[in-house]
Amino acid sequence: MDFTPLLHGFGIVLQPTNLLYCLIGVVIGMLIGVLPGLGPAATIAILLPITYGIEPVSAIIMLAGIFYGAQYGGTITSVLLRLPGEASSVVTVFDGFAMAKQGRAGAALGIAAIGSFIGGTVSIIGLSVLAPIVAGYALDFGPPEYAALGLLGVLLVSTVGNGGKLKAIIAAAVGLLIATVGRDTFTGAERFTFGNLNLADGIDFVPIAMGLFGLGEILYNLEENHKKVHAPAKVTKVWPTRQDLNQSKGAITRGSGIGFALGILPGGGAVLSSLVAYAVEKRRAPRPERFGRGAIEGVAAPETANNAAATSSFIPLLTLGIPANATMALMFGALLIQGVQPGPQLVDQHPDIFWGVINSMYIGNILLLIMSIPLVGVFVRILRVRPAILAPITALITMLGVYTVNNSVFDVYLVIVFGVLGYLMKKFGFDPGPMVLAFVLGTLIESSARQSLLIFGGNPTGFLTRPISGTIFAAIVVVAVFPLLRRAVRLRRGDAAPVVTDAGPAGTQQSSQVTREHQSTEAK
């Protein structure tokens, strides 16, 4: 392996400016992870306009720091308040809060920090090795392969991601529809503009992202802030004992592998990986009844997995130009704003960004480990700031930010429209992620599909005659048909009610399943 690009990346990230932005990103990420409701997607959406005035490498390093920093920040409220700051920290609540009630909050936060560091580092090494290889193979991709891959990405996020499947598919369909608004790039005909010149060039990504994730989250959180919040538990004896480390080493090892593998998959991400890691540890445990009652493995496994997944989800974005989840869709938008097209050409055309961002994660993980425990007291104080104070400030920043992008009042109206839509989606259990991802990939899917049909002379079977696109379409059929077959088999066997149901606004299918298992354990 040629280590020259890797060393070049360290040269980029170790520049004082990039180190500063890495630190800023990690700190902001931890802060928003601590604040329940305002997740990394919302924060990245709100900060998108700010990245205009920052060098591309520094901007992406900062946004990446926000993403993986938030994974650990969400742990603090999960352990101390039984309130997951992030969806990926939902299962951490079960054993983390139980440990806090036993006076072991410090050990829970300590093992979470250690697991996050190890999981993140393992995933970064995998990213450094695997990403250039994938990018090399992706150079053989043409329009048919990109059309198929984009379609597979939307389908996977709709069927594997958060929320109910039907609702996710509806959200994705709306995203694809919004992507068609504006002038047709092939014929010049206007579509769904209703004669409004502001829509002739289509709807910009920034107002959609800032509305759905920024303003929508603010409105939803204002409604939710009436819920009772527990007083934070005291944090003592921060570092885990030797026995804690021995009990957790297996969970951390398996969590690293699970997080890395699931983070690569579109629709996988930090939420699914943390749930799977928790379920695996509980299934393997000789005494599964310990889980939910303060088992330290129940904190180590999900916290390791969600950090590993946050890192590995950069692989499909940087190498294929396909975002694996909603936050990666926002990172995709941030790169486009900087004039950088994510994809296989990124390694050769923008090595500073490719290797600089990857290597910044090594530094960011070390910063997380150093700062996480000493700053716990600060984060606990931040939790006392009322949402009624934070929300208007955040909303004002959102409005000013979107206006400064194009100096357009119309964009402000769009943010309000999509903000209300985002609020309603959260309220009625629709995940905005598939919608944004489908919007981002919609243009790619349409243009690639139409180019492919021109290549094939209008014959759609041409997609199936090419090895890569044919294989991807076979995968699409499997992903689409497998759940139907599984349901049919269950019905034939006369199984009880389905394992999962549509989750509520703040939950996921998988979290509902694990929650029920947890409640069952408590009942016993």
Side-chain angles (χ1 to χ4, degrees), residues 187-491:
T187 66
E190 291 189 358
R191 303 181 299 190
F192 306 115
T193 62
F194 306 104
N196 190 328
L197 290 177
N198 290 304
L199 295 174
D201 292 330
I203 299 177
D204 196 21
F205 171 77
V206 174
I208 293 178
M210 296 182 74
L212 287 176
F213 290 105
L215 192 59
E217 291 281 349
I218 294 167
L219 294 174
Y220 182 75
N221 291 334
L222 278 176
E223 186 179 84
E224 291 291 300
N225 68 3
H226 63 279
K227 291 182 177 177
K228 183 180 178 181
V229 177
H230 300 268
K234 290 184 178 178
V235 180
T236 55
K237 297 182 181 177
V238 171
W239 293 108
T241 63
R242 181 172 293 180
Q243 184 184 357
D244 291 335
L245 292 172
N246 284 332
Q247 279 183 303
S248 305
K249 60 184 180 185
I252 291 174
T253 304
R254 287 183 287 274
S256 299
I258 291 170
F260 179 77
L262 292 182
I264 297 173
L265 298 177
V271 180
L272 182 62
S273 61
S274 63
L275 295 165
V276 172
Y278 185 89
V280 167
E281 290 309 312
K282 187 175 179 180
R283 193 175 294 269
R284 285 178 53 90
R287 292 172 54 210
E289 66 274 10
R290 289 177 51 245
F291 281 74
R293 297 175 178 174
I296 198 166
E297 305 96 300
V299 177
E303 288 305 313
T304 303
N306 66 28
N307 213 277
T311 302
S312 64
S313 61
F314 278 86
I315 291 179
L317 175 71
L318 297 178
T319 58
L320 301 175
I322 303 293
N325 50 53
T327 308
M328 287 299 106
L330 294 169
M331 297 290 290
F332 185 98
L335 285 165
L336 292 181
I337 287 171
Q338 295 286 348
V340 177
Q341 178 68 46
Q345 302 289 344
L346 186 67
V347 184
D348 295 325
Q349 293 180 354
H350 301 282
D352 289 0
I353 292 179
F354 186 85
W355 290 107
V357 171
I358 290 176
N359 288 359
S360 73
M361 298 179 192
Y362 288 104
I363 307 298
N365 260 286
I366 294 172
L367 292 174
L368 268 177
L369 185 66
I370 294 173
M371 295 191 303
S372 55
I373 299 303
L375 291 180
V376 165
V378 177
F379 294 138
V380 170
R381 290 191 185 92
I382 291 171
L383 284 168
R384 293 174 182 149
V385 179
R386 287 181 297 170
I389 298 174
L390 286 176
I393 298 172
T394 313
L396 181 64
I397 293 172
T398 303
M399 293 303 178
L400 287 175
V402 74
Y403 178 77
T404 55
V405 173
N406 296 316
N407 292 330
S408 168
V409 177
F410 184 74
D411 285 351
V412 176
Y413 293 147
L414 283 178
V415 169
I416 295 172
V417 170
F418 283 103
V420 173
L421 179 61
Y423 160 74
L424 292 174
M425 290 179 75
K426 292 274 288 183
K427 186 175 178 65
F428 294 104
F430 286 83
D431 182 8
M435 181 174 162
V436 172
L437 190 75
F439 172 78
V440 168
L441 293 178
T443 305
L444 173 70
I445 294 172
E446 183 189 3
S447 60
S448 299
R450 292 172 72 174
Q451 287 173 3
S452 304
L453 288 173
L454 290 174
I455 295 171
F456 300 144
N459 183 4
T461 60
F463 286 103
L464 307 178
T465 59
R466 293 167 66 104
I468 299 177
S469 62
T471 304
I472 297 173
F473 268 103
I476 290 173
V477 172
V478 171
V479 171
V481 172
F482 180 71
L484 299 176
L485 289 177
R486 190 173 59 176
R487 180 182 290 268
V489 170
R490 279 182 179 159
L491 289 175

Side-chain angles (χ1 to χ4, degrees), residues 161-187:
N162 302 341
K165 289 183 175 57
L166 179 61
K167 291 177 178 177
I169 291 171
I170 292 171
V174 173
L176 288 173
L177 182 65
I178 294 173
T180 63
V181 174
R183 194 173 289 112
D184 188 323
T185 53
F186 286 79
T187 66

